[in-house]
């Protein structure tokens, strides 16, 4: 979470990250985590009250169905001039059941609202999912088929400090 928060701060501020330039962008972050997320945000120097970084927690939207939630989030991004929509995690917000995670048809259907949101000019849509024991994203390969870019962040093999991650 710390790595992700620092990358978001760099983008929010338009500062270099991992040696590469970033473009300043405003972010809407849909987050399933509870209070520990606030600590990660503060550790990275972000502020949930900052107009460039808005957080919506899962616990506050559990009664909103998935397609309507993403449509509302995309509309909010468009209205407020936000360039990035993050859904962390896909499983929590989409209401996906354990059997749906491995079914390509279910994943294709669940990804549709995100694909529609990604068609809004200047809106990058990111989603996260947890990995299995093999270090790869859990579930159907349909996740990979639906995405334009795949990024994997995992613990590095070997005797490494707890904070070391490998970005692929």
């Amino acid at each position: 979470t710390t790595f992700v928060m620092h990358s978001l701060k760099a983008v929010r501020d338009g500062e270099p990250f991992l040696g590469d330039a970033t473009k300043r962008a405003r972010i809407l972050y849909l987050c399933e985590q509870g209070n520990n997320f606030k600590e990660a945000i503060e550790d990275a120097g972000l502020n949930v009250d900052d107009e460039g970084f808005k957080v919506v927690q899962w616990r506050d939207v559990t009664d909103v169905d998935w397609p309507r939630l993403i449509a509302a989030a995309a509309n909010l991004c468009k209205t407020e001039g936000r360039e990035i929509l993050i859904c962390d995690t896909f499983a929590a917000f989409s209401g996906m059941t354990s059997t749906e995670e491995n079914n390509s048809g279910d994943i294709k259907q669940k990804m549709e609202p995100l694909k529609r949101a990604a068609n809004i000019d200047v809106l990058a849509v990111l989603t996260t999912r947890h990995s299995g024991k093999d270090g790869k994203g859990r579930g159907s390969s349909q996740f990979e088929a639906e995405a334009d870019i795949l990024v994997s962040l995992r613990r590095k093999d070997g005797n490494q400090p707890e904070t070391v991650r490998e970005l692929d």
Side-chain angles (χ1 to χ4, degrees):
T1 302
T2 300
F3 176 86
V4 173
M5 290 301 109
H6 284 282
S7 67
L8 293 177
K9 183 176 184 330
V11 169
R12 199 259 346 249
D13 294 343
E15 298 172 353
F17 185 73
L18 296 178
D20 288 326
T22 67
K23 180 183 172 213
R24 184 179 174 103
R26 298 179 71 212
I27 301 162
L28 175 58
Y29 197 112
L30 306 180
C31 176
E32 77 167 311
Q33 291 185 19
N35 294 336
N36 61 335
F37 185 69
K38 184 176 182 202
E39 293 170 15
I41 290 170
E42 290 170 354
D43 287 347
L46 289 166
N47 181 347
V48 294
D49 297 322
D50 181 334
E51 72 175 53
F53 186 74
K54 181 178 266 188
V55 175
V56 174
Q57 291 191 293
W58 176 79
R59 67 180 179 218
D60 297 327
V61 293
T62 57
D63 60 337
V64 181
D65 69 71
W66 171 241
R68 202 172 90 221
L69 173 66
I70 295 304
N75 187 52
L76 182 68
C77 287
K78 187 175 182 179
T79 303
E80 294 184 354
R82 296 185 184 278
E83 297 90 355
I84 301 174
L85 169 60
I86 300 171
C87 179
D88 178 15
T89 66
F90 177 83
F93 280 95
S94 70
M96 184 172 59
T97 65
S98 59
T99 57
E100 290 175 323
E101 186 175 51
N102 295 313
N103 185 325
S104 63
D106 288 329
I107 298 308
K108 184 171 180 58
Q109 181 181 14
K110 294 270 188 187
M111 291 291 283
E112 281 303 315
L114 292 175
K115 290 174 72 174
R116 280 193 295 279
N119 282 317
I120 294 174
D121 264 352
V122 196
L123 183 61
V125 178
L126 293 85
T127 188
T128 64
R129 62 186 174 133
H130 293 287
S131 59
K133 292 178 184 176
D134 62 358
K136 296 180 182 177
R138 287 188 340 214
S140 169
S141 61
Q142 189 67 35
F143 281 108
E144 287 80 9
E146 296 294 322
D148 290 330
I149 299 170
L150 300 170
V151 176
S152 177
L153 182 64
R154 64 177 69 100
R155 287 194 173 100
K156 193 165 172 79
D157 291 336
N159 190 14
Q160 302 290 332
E162 177 65 24
T163 57
V164 173
R165 297 293 185 269
E166 184 174 54
L167 182 64
D168 182 23

